[in-house]
Amino acid sequence: MPVNEKRLSTFSRVISAWCSGLFFLGCATNIFASEGPQRIVSINVCTDQLVALLAEKDRIVSLSHLSNDPYSSWLGTFVDGLILNHGTAEEVIALSPDLVVTTSFGFRPTISILKKLGYPILELPIAKNLNDVSTSLMLLASTIGENEKTQAVIERFNNEVSSQTVSSNSQLPLFVSYEANGWTMGENSLANNVAQMAGFETIGSRLDFSGGLKIDLEKLLTIKPDLIELGYQWSEAPALVSQNLWHPALQKLLKRSTLINIPDSLWLCGSPKTLDALHILQQAREAL
Amino acid sequence: MNNIKNYFFLLSALSLLAVLLFIASLMIGSAGTGFSGMRVMFDQVGPEIFSVIMKEIRLPRAILGFTVGASLGLAGATLQGYLRNPLAEPGVIGVSTAAALGAVIAIYTGLSVVMPLALPLMAIGGSLIVIFLLQTIAGAGNVATLILAGVAISSLCGALTSLALNLSENPFASLEIVFWLLGSITDRSMSHVWLSTPFIVIGWLLLAASSRSLDVLSLGEETAVSLGVNLSRIRILVISGTALCIGACTAIAGVIGFVGLIVPHLMRPLVGHLPSRLLPASALAGGSLLLCADIMVRLINFGTELKLGVVTALIGGPFFLILILRLRVSHKT
């Protein structure tokens, strides 16, 4: 890792020196308003958020259609005026991007077509912990060109992550995020790692599983979580999912456990905003 | 005389089986199975949570297992008798799928949030329309037309259900297509029991009331009329009874196929061909079969729980094929 970082920083210094030279040129000709790709397209809701944080808005052509969905993204009004894409190859080609950003998950047919046609593609890893977020931020910054803005964002995030202390108490309270249809996330997931940082035992370590697992109400009742987070209720678009969250047995369990609300958009994708989810959990931990 | 004695012996044996399966259903679950498992669970969670698990999770599941299964068995036996068609079954001829479509519209438009009764009522409405349509299109007696019309209606309703779920803004809705097309009674609550049972019981009574006339009808429509059977009365009883049972069950448990097909065929060799005898036996056996399938769903562990309709189809699909083969043989000879 340190080798990589060193190489990155040398690389960035070279780039920034190169850029500052170009800056004067750019002022004169007004073509190179900023270095690096000028028509950035993101087709994944997670990379949308990172692109929006690091790139100037006038360099972003399009984000995914989920970027303005309050359930999965916190970007909100930032996307106003941008084209929203659905990640199909035709759409992306029509935008004539000079950089397509996505994750290593999903949109495989689109990606393979775009690669064949020679479009530059950056695939960021899916964040399983806060260090992954940092890695993604640095990868993206080095691709779109580092500047004061990107450095400030990354530095602030890294500082905040490194200032966290993880409680090593042996008797940790149990936290469960019980989402729609009984889905929970186990070890090696962002939600579990954030909860562990906040000083909780997670369902992944209690039941020893990684990835997603469906657990039924009976099982949830027997492990007796101290703190529960339920998924978004979707009362404006009802489905069986929202009805199951009102099961009388679950309501009785909630009388003995503490209920907490963490907006999904904060930690569905790993981003600096995930720190907000961490803070909510830390506060709940102190209040228990 | 001996015959009647045998019949009542069979009915009591079936009732006993249903009671035993009902108790077994209460004793099986992810939190603890069997006497020892339940003792461990009791020690682990304490009396309060234990009673919540038993009363709010396992009891409604066991009750619905029986009522839904009994309705399917009863409706299957009635439809086979009324349409004089050995392949008639609420799932095969599209009545269940139509009920699911009604339920889906009630839930995903938010209607059932405002008025919970809308859920069973819309489902009942859906099945009512389809039985009516089928009766008009296919009438009684013609095996092929009824099945073809049923298949067409069934796929149309299935497609419309999927469409309605895809149109929902809720990202989880499209996953629920599986529930509506394959059925499940996992994590249902007592409120589902209260919501469905009144309609189901009224449906049972209507179907039971039709059984004597169905006996006469098995001699052929003209003979039945000459013997004083009121055809439009049976028609109303059968259609409304089936719609009430199947509609209310499907609204709560989704589409569960094949139970109504298998059960009457299993019972016929034991009780004979008279619908008035076949109906009670089919209801009890249907309840037992579904309780059994639901127990299997919990015992077979693939990491994630199987849907109930998968198990009934695994048993019912081959059965259906064998039935068709047998029909072909009997036509040839």
Side-chain angles (χ1 to χ4, degrees), chain B residues 171-238:
Chain B
F172 298 103
S174 49
L175 295 174
E176 287 165 14
I177 294 173
V178 177
F179 168 82
W180 289 110
L181 298 184
L182 289 175
S184 165
I185 49 174
T186 306
D187 286 350
R188 309 273 83 190
S189 68
M190 282 311 278
S191 59
H192 291 113
V193 175
W194 299 128
L195 204 58
S196 61
T197 312
F199 296 104
I200 291 175
V201 170
I202 296 172
W204 286 354
L205 293 176
L206 292 176
L207 293 181
S210 74
S211 65
R212 291 275 167 209
S213 316
L214 286 178
D215 286 354
V216 186
L217 196 64
S218 59
L219 301 170
E221 239 167 61
E222 278 164 28
T223 323
V225 172
S226 71
L227 286 171
V229 167
N230 183 345
L231 284 182
S232 60
R233 178 178 163 273
I234 311 191
R235 187 173 149 166
I236 291 170
L237 282 178
V238 170

Side-chain angles (χ1 to χ4, degrees), chain A residues 28-58:
Chain A
T29 59
N30 208 15
I31 295 169
F32 300 99
S34 166
E35 68 290 349
Q38 300 297 316
R39 296 187 61 80
I40 303 173
V41 171
S42 161
I43 59 173
N44 177 289
V45 64
C46 291
T47 53
D48 286 345
Q49 300 171 6
L50 303 182
V51 167
L53 268 180
L54 294 183
E56 290 77 20
K57 196 175 171 183
D58 56 356

Side-chain angles (χ1 to χ4, degrees), chain B residues 257-321:
Chain B
F258 294 109
V259 175
L261 178 79
I262 309 167
V263 167
H265 285 280
L266 288 179
M267 288 299 111
R268 237 173 243 128
L270 301 176
V271 300
H273 287 264
L274 275 186
S276 60
R277 288 199 170 182
L278 183 64
L279 260 49
S282 294
L284 287 170
S288 302
L289 181 67
L290 203 66
L291 279 170
C292 196
D294 189 44
I295 287 170
M296 277 169 69
V297 156
R298 279 174 281 178
L299 289 182
I300 303 170
N301 192 350
F302 286 124
T304 177
E305 209 180 87
L306 277 179
K307 290 283 172 207
L308 205 43
V310 175
V311 176
T312 57
L314 280 177
I315 308 169
F319 190 89
F320 191 70
L321 289 175

Side-chain angles (χ1 to χ4, degrees), chain B residues 67-107:
Chain B
T67 55
V68 171
S71 302
L72 291 169
L74 185 60
T78 311
L79 287 176
Q80 286 173 17
Y82 176 65
L83 299 168
R84 273 157 286 145
N85 185 330
L87 299 183
E89 197 260 320
V92 174
I93 63 174
V95 178
S96 303
T97 345
L101 178 61
V104 161
I105 293 171
I107 289 182

Side-chain angles (χ1 to χ4, degrees), chain A residues 216 218 237 240-241 247 252, chain B residues 30 56 58 170-171 176 188:
Chain A
D216 59 13
E218 267 190 54
L240 292 177
V241 164
H247 195 289
K252 282 192 181 136
Chain B
S30 59
E56 306 282 356
R58 292 192 184 180
N170 190 321
E176 287 165 14
R188 309 273 83 190

